[in-house]
Amino acid sequence: MGTSQSRQDGIIDSDGEEEEEEEAEEQYDDALGDHQKSGSSSGTHKGLDEIDAKLKSLKLKYSSSQQQGNPNLKNPVKLYLHIGGNTPKAKWVISEKLTSYNFVKTAKSDGNDDGLDSAGWVLGVGSKVRVRVSTEMQLKMVGDQRRVDFVDKAVWALKFLSDYEYRNFGTLFQNCLFENVYGMEASEKNKVKVYGKEFIGWVKPEVADDSMWEDAKDHSKDSTLLKGSQGSMEEFEEAANGGVQTLALGALDNSFLVNDTGVHVYRNLNRGINGKGICVKYDGGGNASNLTPKKALLMRAETNMMLMSPANKGKPNATGLKQVDIETGKTVTEWKFEKDGTNITMRDITNDTKGSQLDPSESTFLGLDDNILCQWDTRDKKGRAQDIATSGSPVLHWTQGHQFSRGTNFQCFASTGTGSIVVGSLDGKIRLYSGASMRQAKTAFPGLGSPITHVDVTYDGKWVLGTTDTYLILICSLFTDKDGKTKTGFTSRMGNRIPAPRLLKLTPLDSHLAGNDNKFHGGHFSWVTENGKQERHVVATVGKFSVVWDFQQVKNTSHGCYRNQQGLKSCYCYKIVLKDESIVESRFMHDKYAGSDSPEAPLVVATPLKVSSISLSGSGR
């Protein structure tokens, strides 16, 4: 397990600039060569390579003073390249001692493919960088060094000659990003049009009401778990029988891994989960789907499990689900999703509340499709258990919900400890619904333009976490009403002074090291099911990394990451659990499994072939 800070050295100009520049040229050529081999080369880049080669052959050398003496150079910057990855030899080297940057608006390709995805604003730096402005650049601003880091096939840094030039770049970048995302000029009018007057703090974070962040209290004194050394980790792992699809953690005796062959049972221990050698096979149930389940939901005091398989490969939507009795190892029945006599699909299911899977009498659960939010019941309309033996393939009872006409494009959802619901959408919006009504959201956060692929919420509903491909967005749902009472956006419409969110990001270097499949998925809070208990960490998965943030540190408005930042505040302080293969899911066990030497429960990390249990405390067992 590593920390981002260990690889975030400052840039110090050295006397060996000529040697460093030659080394940077070699590293750049290597990186570009790898990019071209992957099939992402472009005609423009090839042209730049030819120019670069000719310039190199001339072996032209200019002194720094000569270059800096050019008064006509517009937007001057120093360009650095990071080499060495995360090895002890990692360092920044000069790529161009003095060059310039510009933002250029491009039109759609008419056959002359320049390697960029689509029309819009592009950042060009000297002859080395030409990249479409997007969140995939993972741009990080380092105010105390007048520097910005970003990714474009390699990891680059720009150093500016003055504070004004540094801040002007930040403003230009944000404006270009807005236009690329929303397709309109970044004017004040258009920003209000996109975000709404209530969310002016998302447009201008400097005027946002941060009082709720400042008043955030840590309910435990153990918020420094991530400040330990790398040696403070404990881990044990075992084979997971291959083909792992999803992880279903239990709060009682057992947890479960779902793979290609069945549901494998693991024993819950204070130091993690341990295989029991028991597997519930996918057999019985009549019209069983041949597709492996992608979603598993524990119910009825964790004695039953709902397994949902996509109806078509490549799409998550399912026409029904299996109910498996874990204790007997048999499929109880196969349920159909149906409303008013018409078959419908669901893309996701979840428990009514954070802790309802512990209820032995639980018969209901929540369902979500692209334009549907509802609750299902395994009992009939009169509240009686259906006679599965005689009903063939019984139909789930739709107890409440709403089928929206179009346009919601729901992607994911989660519930609070009291049954309120948060829903994430393809357009980046995050909606909050009270447990009493699924027809209209009490609050709808506009999002930042990136699709929300996963959501979670704290037990008390005060904090919402949205996952996108390139960052996590942490939203405070608290607000003060006109009577001075503090409420959440689940129960009432939030007012005008809504807090600005925080962004949880990888550094550009870590994003690059995460590999080609470097998209975030499955952001979760640690797991509590009691009032007054505070979640301590946030964990998300990206490639071979499990990334863990200290929740209290993220909420701290005076945290060092937030100094000298422009725009929305981003936190880059985290630790990484690195695995040998891409990670399927990372989750903290239930709070009850925190040991006496650790206030946090173990982290469980599942890959297709292995499952690991990791303690963040580090005292011996």
Side-chain angles (χ1 to χ4, degrees):
M1 184 167 183
T3 173
S4 64
Q5 293 175 322
S6 66
R7 296 193 284 268
Q8 294 308 300
D9 299 326
I11 294 178
I12 301 175
D13 294 338
S14 66
D15 294 332
E17 289 183 345
E18 291 185 1
E19 290 79 4
E20 286 190 350
E21 191 166 1
E22 291 176 357
E23 187 174 9
E25 295 283 3
E26 294 175 1
Q27 294 285 341
Y28 170 72
D29 289 342
D30 289 343
L32 186 57
D34 291 341
H35 180 65
Q36 290 173 338
K37 288 177 184 177
S38 68
S40 302
S41 61
S42 67
T44 298
H45 281 310
K46 289 179 181 177
L48 293 176
D49 286 347
E50 293 173 0
I51 295 172
D52 287 346
K54 291 179 181 178
L55 290 175
K56 289 179 192 175
S57 66
L58 295 175
K59 298 186 182 296
L60 297 176
K61 298 293 181 183
Y62 297 95
S63 69
S64 178
S65 60
Q66 285 176 314
Q67 288 176 320
Q68 291 179 1
N70 182 358
N72 297 320
L73 189 63
K74 186 179 180 181
N75 300 329
V77 290
K78 285 187 176 182
L79 179 65
Y80 290 79
L81 176 68
H82 193 278
I83 63 173
N86 61 350
T87 68
K89 294 183 179 181
K91 63 179 180 178
W92 290 101
V93 295
I94 293 177
S95 180
E96 295 191 37
K97 297 174 189 176
L98 193 68
T99 185
S100 63
Y101 76 87
N102 63 341
F103 291 98
V104 179
K105 193 170 184 179
T106 62
K108 285 188 177 181
S109 173
D110 55 0
N112 296 322
D113 183 16
D114 63 0
L116 302 175
D117 291 338
S118 59
W121 287 100
V122 170
L123 170 64
V125 184
S127 62
K128 297 294 192 300
V129 175
R130 180 173 169 81
V131 56
R132 188 173 190 270
V133 175
S134 72
T135 58
E136 293 179 0
M137 291 175 61
Q138 296 288 2
L139 189 95
K140 177 184 178 183
M141 303 195 71
V142 187
D144 57 349
Q145 296 187 44
R146 296 199 303 264
R147 155 187 154 202
V148 297
D149 303 348
F150 62 93
V151 177
D152 175 31
K153 300 182 292 292
V155 183
W156 304 92
L158 302 180
K159 285 198 73 174
F160 298 84
L161 307 185
S162 70
D163 286 334
Y164 169 78
E165 290 166 339
Y166 164 76
R167 296 193 174 280
N168 185 57
F169 175 91
T171 300
L172 291 173
F173 180 86
Q174 292 299 329
N175 287 344
C176 291
L177 179 61
F178 180 92
E179 187 166 344
N180 279 357
V181 170
Y182 298 108
M184 60 182 76
E185 184 181 349
S187 65
E188 293 297 315
K189 180 180 179 181
N190 286 337
K191 289 178 180 179
V192 171
K193 180 180 179 180
V194 168
Y195 294 108
K197 293 181 180 179
E198 298 89 349
F199 295 91
I200 192 64
W202 293 44
V203 180
K204 297 181 177 179
E206 65 275 8
V207 302
D209 181 9
D210 269 355
S211 61
M212 293 303 175
W213 292 95
E214 294 166 356
D215 293 342
K217 301 296 182 183
D218 185 15
H219 293 278
S220 97
K221 297 182 180 179
D222 306 301
S223 61
T224 57
L225 292 175
L226 294 183
K227 297 180 182 178
S229 66
Q230 182 173 346
S232 68
M233 297 293 297
E234 292 181 21
E235 176 176 358
F236 70 92
E237 66 180 21
E238 56 187 290
N241 300 300
V244 172
Q245 300 294 322
T246 188
L247 173 66
L249 290 180
L252 299 177
D253 295 333
N254 300 315
S255 287
F256 309 89
L257 279 179
V258 177
N259 74 353
D260 295 336
T261 60
V263 179
H264 296 261
V265 185
Y266 286 73
R267 181 183 293 106
N268 288 335
L269 305 170
N270 282 348
R271 62 191 184 96
I273 66 173
N274 183 251
K276 297 176 71 172
I278 299 173
C279 177
V280 179
K281 300 288 186 178
Y282 302 135
D283 54 4
N287 301 319
S289 171
N290 293 323
L291 296 177
T292 302
K294 304 294 185 183
K295 179 73 178 181
L297 186 69
L298 288 169
M299 293 183 65
R300 298 185 178 179
E302 299 178 353
T303 63
N304 278 227
M305 179 181 288
M306 297 293 188
L307 294 171
M308 194 166 78
S309 300
N312 298 297
K313 289 184 178 180
K315 294 185 178 181
N317 311 71
T319 57
L321 46 76
K322 286 185 181 181
Q323 182 177 346
V324 176
D325 187 320
I326 298 297
E327 295 178 331
T328 64
K330 295 182 178 180
T331 299
V332 176
T333 191
E334 290 192 38
W335 298 98
K336 288 183 179 179
F337 296 124
E338 183 180 295
K339 184 179 186 296
D340 299 330
T342 302
N343 293 332
I344 61 175
T345 60
M346 291 282 107
R347 71 160 40 238
D348 200 2
I349 54 175
T350 195
N351 296 105
D352 289 345
T353 70
K354 283 279 187 184
S356 61
Q357 71 187 57
L358 305 177
D359 182 359
S361 63
E362 179 189 31
S363 65
T364 60
F365 60 94
L366 302 174
L368 184 82
D369 204 41
D370 299 5
N371 297 307
I372 297 175
L373 176 61
C374 65
Q375 183 186 55
W376 297 105
D377 197 335
T378 57
R379 299 170 299 181
D380 63 18
K381 294 182 179 181
K382 297 180 180 180
R384 297 175 300 194
Q386 298 190 49
D387 187 350
I388 296 169
T390 61
S391 59
S393 188
V395 174
L396 289 161
H397 173 48
W398 171 298
T399 60
Q400 63 169 320
H402 188 65
Q403 190 165 4
F404 298 87
S405 58
R406 65 180 64 184
T408 54
N409 289 316
F410 294 149
Q411 299 290 297
C412 49
F413 67 156
S415 57
T416 68
T418 58
S420 296
I421 306 166
V422 54
V423 182
S425 299
L426 186 64
D427 60 3
K429 289 183 179 179
I430 295 178
R431 296 172 173 88
L432 308 186
Y433 294 84
S434 71
S437 174
M438 300 180 185
R439 180 174 291 273
Q440 185 173 7
K442 292 291 185 180
T443 301
F445 295 101
L448 302 174
S450 298
I452 303 296
T453 60
H454 189 272
V455 287
D456 198 10
V457 59
T458 55
Y459 184 84
D460 57 19
K462 295 179 181 179
W463 307 93
V464 174
L465 182 70
T467 304
T468 76
D469 288 350
T470 52
Y471 58 85
L472 306 184
I473 180 170
L474 180 66
I475 297 172
C476 177
S477 72
L478 293 170
F479 73 101
T480 303
D481 68 9
K482 59 183 180 181
D483 297 324
K485 296 180 179 179
T486 300
K487 297 181 178 179
T488 73
F490 289 100
T491 59
S492 302
R493 181 179 176 83
M494 299 177 74
N496 292 326
R497 292 178 62 81
I498 296 174
R502 300 282 188 267
L503 303 182
L504 281 61
K505 295 182 177 179
L506 289 180
T507 64
L509 177 56
D510 281 336
S511 177
H512 184 62
L513 293 174
N516 294 328
D517 187 24
N518 60 348
K519 295 180 180 180
F520 275 118
H521 62 91
H524 293 276
F525 292 106
S526 46
W527 187 19
V528 301
T529 56
E530 294 181 44
N531 283 319
K533 287 274 191 174
Q534 176 66 64
E535 293 82 357
R536 295 184 177 91
H537 293 99
V538 170
V539 62
T541 301
V542 52
K544 298 179 181 180
F545 295 166
S546 287
V547 190
V548 183
W549 284 265
D550 183 317
F551 185 29
Q552 181 61 20
Q553 190 177 63
V554 173
K555 291 186 290 184
N556 183 0
T557 56
S558 61
H559 175 46
C561 273
Y562 302 145
R563 295 178 194 147
N564 301 314
Q565 287 195 10
Q566 287 181 258
L568 297 175
K569 294 177 179 177
S570 299
C571 182
Y572 297 94
C573 284
Y574 48 77
K575 283 204 172 183
I576 290 174
V577 177
L578 174 62
K579 291 298 175 184
D580 296 331
E581 55 182 342
S582 293
I583 296 170
V584 176
E585 194 162 4
S586 308
R587 294 279 304 276
F588 281 101
M589 294 181 69
H590 189 273
D591 181 66
K592 67 181 284 187
Y593 287 101
S596 59
D597 60 341
S598 170
E600 182 60 280
L603 176 67
V604 178
V605 179
T607 69
L609 298 177
K610 295 179 181 178
V611 59
S612 305
S613 300
I614 301 158
S615 169
L616 300 183
S617 64
S619 47
R621 341 183 207 107

